[in-house]
Amino acid sequence: MRIERLRLADFRNYVELDWRPAPGVSVLVGPNGAGKTNLLEAAFLALVGHSPRTRREEEMIRQGAGEARIAAEVEAGGHRSALRLRLAPEGKRIELDGRPVERLGELPFRFPAVLFQPGDLLLAQGAAAARRHFLDEVGREWSRSYDAALAATRKALAERNALLRRLGPGASPKSAALLLEAWNEAFATAAAGLLRRRLALLGGLVGELRRVHAALSGEEALSVRYASSLPAAGELLAAGGGPPAAAAEEAQQLEESLRDALRKALERVLPAELERGFTLVGPHRDDLRLHLRGRDVRVFGSQGEQRAVALAMRIAQFALLRARRGEPPLLLLDDVFSELDGERRERLLGLLLPEAEQTWITAAEEGQPAGSGALLAIAGSERVKWFRVFSGSIGEVPGGDRAAPSR
Amino acid sequence: MEYAAPIARLIAELERLPGVGPKTAQRLALHLLNRPREEVAALASALLEAKDRIHPCSVCANLTDTDPCAICGDPRRDESLLCVVEEPKDVIALERTHEFHGRYHVLMGAISPLSGVGPDDLRIEPLLARLKEGKIREVVLATDPDVEGEATAMYLARLLKPLGVKTSRLARGLPEGGDLDYVDEVTLARALEGRRAI
């Protein structure tokens, strides 16, 4: 996955930009607020369909401009494509080779990108939602049908929750029995499809995560468990259920048994659900539990341990997608070096760069950022290009010294 | 400067159409004004004629200019086979496959607690009345392959069970989350062939 040319108009602090990134590693240096992260955001937005930073999309339109535009010339899986995005206050529209993209959720599968950003610490530190979001992000890049399963589950969940609220705590489930059964069935069907895909994804991801974490931290103690509100799902995974290459028939059987388990669980918790007005079991209640030496990283991990786990999750995402897709995703590293010591930085680069193709790295410092030596040694100096970003413009820095940006 | 009142009114009326925003409404209005008078008159009379002559069939609720509609009134159709769909457009989609020779029943929607649509808001009572006549042996539940369509099919399957009619659902292979009338004919014909009992 590679972006050959990126053009921006009225995006964040860019009035206009026309940039050809290096085929290998592009290092973006410049002061804070220059627009380095905005470039990564623009690439991510055009490829994957949403901003990694904000849900309020209007804020990406440059102040005083009516709409923002991004055009990316992309090479993926041996095919060249042109992505065009228009972002206006009424909404956004993405075109792929001149045709509007109807389902944005399908973009990540076509144009996978892996972004490391400082906020990733939440993967280890934050609530379960952050880790579910991570699984779903990787899932969409990993399988074409993941997005449809996720969308159906969310829809069925919203409908079922609306029904529970409508019926309310006093409802006699008898009068609404048919309706509840119908929505239990619809939700269980959709959710079993999502759970089955999550388990298959985890079948590959957990191993990568443990391997990568060991290599990054020098420890081997990370244990990873899918903690499901549906106990059967956790057991199936522990028992080796949902291997990545499960035969279609096995997959179907697994999905059936998940659906049965969900059906039963939904019947069991119904009184509590009517009381509280939302669905209490399903993939929307699950978590990925991470333990080091038997202790929950989220609660007991040091800042350093949490950072290593979060980085390992991103590296595992990258490694899994690379193996599955046969080519590396676009790798975006936003300001990840400043918080790492020299040794960790070298390990991170050592795990990623030999496996990566196109990579964009931002570094806040002026001049040669920390870790440049390791970067050049690992990537090979001929694969690395240096760019200086300065208030919405970009210029290549020949040989990596501090030349003024061209405008 | 504002548009003259008649243009402004035309734009305002066009804007009320689904999927038409202010810009499109303006473009359509100016386009219409540039066309010959006969062409505009043909459009206006087509609108009125359709509105005056088309009504839902009293049996199946499909849109028709006769009553009963051409399908309900066709004696060559298999009256033991009934296909339940969400919208009149789904009848057209299924008819295009030339694979189905039974009759139809349009629900006029799908169950959606989120949008406040319950079973009582759909044409389920008339469906039960048709089944009570005793001629129908199989009901094909061809609601959309999205979650609301699935839930509606599940609901009907359970509701019809005590009546002893066979119920079946269109086979998978349909794209999830899609409208039935967007599915290409080949896929739809195949799904109809492989319908399963639920």
Side-chain angles (χ1 to χ4, degrees):
Chain A
M1 227 316 292
R2 187 166 81 219
I3 293 184
E4 294 180 339
R5 185 178 181 190
L6 180 72
R7 279 173 296 161
L8 306 180
D10 294 322
F11 182 84
R12 296 268 187 198
N13 67 333
Y14 291 90
V15 179
E16 221 176 80
L17 177 91
D18 186 350
W19 180 46
R20 290 173 190 275
V25 181
S26 299
V27 185
L28 305 161
V29 292
N32 283 327
K36 303 182 299 292
T37 301
N38 297 347
L39 273 184
L40 271 54
E41 181 184 36
F44 194 91
L45 173 64
L47 296 174
V48 175
H50 63 92
S51 163
R53 284 206 284 195
T54 181
R55 279 167 173 246
R56 287 185 321 199
E57 302 192 309
E58 324 84 86
E59 78 183 37
M60 292 184 280
I61 303 169
R62 192 176 64 85
Q63 281 206 334
E67 63 172 37
R69 276 169 294 143
I70 303 173
E73 290 169 25
V74 176
E75 206 246 46
H79 291 281
R80 287 187 128 86
S81 319
L83 278 165
R84 280 171 177 282
L85 177 138
R86 287 161 73 105
L87 179 65
E90 313 82 80
K92 69 178 171 230
R93 199 181 145 85
I94 300 182
E95 282 183 5
L96 173 58
D97 295 327
R99 288 213 198 108
V101 177
E102 305 271 352
R103 282 184 72 103
L104 293 187
E106 283 173 1
L107 281 172
F109 182 79
R110 310 188 66 140
F111 306 109
V114 177
L115 169 68
F116 289 61
Q117 55 180 342
D120 283 345
L121 198 50
L122 281 178
L123 293 176
Q125 233 173 33
R131 285 175 294 280
R132 281 197 299 272
H133 182 83
F134 169 78
L135 285 180
D136 292 338
E137 179 188 343
V138 184
R140 280 185 169 140
E141 296 179 317
W142 173 80
S143 140
R144 186 186 288 278
S145 66
Y146 194 98
D147 178 62
L150 179 65
T153 304
R154 286 184 176 160
K155 194 73 192 297
L157 177 66
E159 292 279 17
R160 189 171 183 276
N161 286 347
L163 177 64
L164 292 170
R165 280 195 304 274
R166 245 163 225 283
L167 295 175
S172 100
K174 225 176 175 181
S175 64
L178 283 185
L179 208 49
L180 273 167
E181 268 182 51
W183 278 105
N184 282 1
E185 195 66 26
F187 176 69
T189 303
L194 178 61
L195 268 175
R196 201 257 298 158
R197 286 172 178 83
R198 272 201 193 154
L199 295 184
L201 168 69
L202 283 162
L205 188 66
V206 171
E208 283 294 349
L209 184 50
R210 290 172 56 97
R211 177 185 70 81
V212 160
H213 182 264
L216 188 67
S217 67
E219 296 178 55
E220 282 184 48
L222 187 70
S223 97
V224 186
R225 191 168 65 82
Y226 185 66
S228 179
S229 56
L230 188 71
E235 282 158 29
L236 282 166
L237 181 66
E249 216 161 281
E250 273 173 60
Q252 186 122 32
Q253 274 175 13
L254 177 64
E255 206 166 305
E256 284 294 325
S257 57
L258 287 167
R259 183 155 72 147
D260 285 342
L262 266 164
R263 253 189 224 127
K264 292 197 183 92
L266 288 170
E267 275 167 34
R268 192 166 36 77
V269 297
L270 181 65
E273 290 184 325
L274 285 168
E275 195 67 41
R276 296 173 66 177
F278 58 88
T279 301
L280 293 171
V281 287
H284 62 295
R285 305 275 287 175
D286 296 354
D287 193 0
L288 198 62
R289 294 268 161 77
L290 304 156
H291 285 77
L292 274 174
R293 297 176 302 278
R295 281 150 54 102
D296 193 331
V297 174
R298 186 169 78 87
V299 186
F300 298 105
S302 69
Q303 179 101 352
E305 284 170 341
Q306 291 175 340
R307 187 165 289 127
V309 166
L311 283 172
M313 288 171 79
R314 287 294 176 206
I315 303 169
Q317 175 185 5
F318 177 79
L320 183 77
L321 293 174
R322 181 185 187 278
R324 167 110 173 166
R325 309 298 298 274
E327 83 174 348
L330 174 63
L331 183 57
L332 303 167
L333 302 175
D334 189 21
D335 197 26
V336 286
F337 294 157
S338 54
E339 287 166 344
L340 296 179
D341 60 39
E343 200 185 331
R344 283 252 166 96
R345 205 148 46 208
E346 265 174 52
R347 284 186 185 161
L348 174 69
L349 290 172
L351 282 164
L352 285 173
L353 291 187
E355 310 290 321
E357 260 173 36
Q358 195 177 58
T359 307
W360 303 3
I361 302 175
T362 71
E365 293 119 291
E366 289 288 313
Q368 294 286 354
S372 302
L375 176 68
L376 291 172
I378 293 165
S381 54
E382 72 289 346
R383 283 184 65 212
V384 182
K385 275 190 181 180
W386 302 79
F387 296 90
R388 189 174 148 77
V389 179
F390 188 73
S391 62
S393 66
I394 190 166
E396 189 177 344
V397 187
D401 59 25
R402 271 164 276 168
S406 60
R407 296 196 188 202
Chain B
M1 195 190 122
E2 300 285 318
Y3 279 115
I7 307 182
R9 191 180 146 213
L10 177 57
I11 293 175
E13 290 299 331
L14 288 167
E15 231 183 289
R16 294 155 68 134
L17 299 175
V20 176
K23 274 189 182 169
T24 308
Q26 178 178 306
R27 207 175 68 233
L28 290 173
L30 295 175
H31 170 84
L32 288 170
L33 291 175
N34 271 325
R35 306 307 301 168
R37 191 176 190 285
E38 313 81 79
E39 210 178 300
V40 178
L43 174 64
S45 77
L47 286 172
L48 284 175
E49 190 190 340
K51 183 64 199 169
D52 291 343
R53 295 195 40 203
I54 297 296
H55 54 86
C57 168
S58 60
V59 181
C60 72
N62 187 24
L63 295 175
T64 174
D65 58 348
T66 60
D67 199 27
C69 71
I71 296 171
C72 288
D74 184 348
R76 288 164 302 175
R77 289 271 177 166
D78 182 350
E79 60 180 1
S80 70
L81 195 55
L82 187 72
C83 183
V84 177
V85 297
E86 292 182 14
E87 307 283 345
K89 64 188 167 64
D90 302 328
V91 174
I92 307 296
L94 283 155
E95 280 298 290
R96 281 199 198 114
T97 68
H98 301 294
E99 284 292 322
F100 184 75
H101 307 295
R103 293 197 171 130
Y104 293 94
H105 187 86
V106 182
L107 291 172
M108 299 306 288
I111 298 175
S112 168
L114 209 51
S115 320
V117 180
D120 296 345
D121 302 307
L122 303 176
R123 296 187 64 258
I124 292 177
E125 279 303 322
L127 173 64
L128 295 175
R130 287 179 82 178
L131 292 173
K132 283 207 181 95
E133 286 168 21
K135 288 178 189 154
I136 294 160
R137 281 183 293 105
E138 181 183 349
V139 175
V140 183
L141 299 169
T143 46
D144 287 356
D146 56 14
V147 292
E148 289 82 2
E150 284 294 332
T152 306
M154 311 271 183
Y155 179 85
L156 290 174
R158 281 166 174 71
L159 189 69
L160 302 190
K161 204 164 189 186
L163 303 184
V165 274
K166 186 181 165 199
T167 51
S168 55
R169 177 88 177 110
L170 288 193
R172 288 284 175 147
L174 300 177
E176 284 173 66
D179 274 344
L180 214 48
D181 71 332
Y182 280 134
V183 180
D184 73 275
E185 284 143 43
V186 180
T187 313
L188 201 49
R190 214 178 285 140
L192 205 50
E193 241 168 69
R195 64 183 183 266
R196 59 189 152 90
I198 56 173

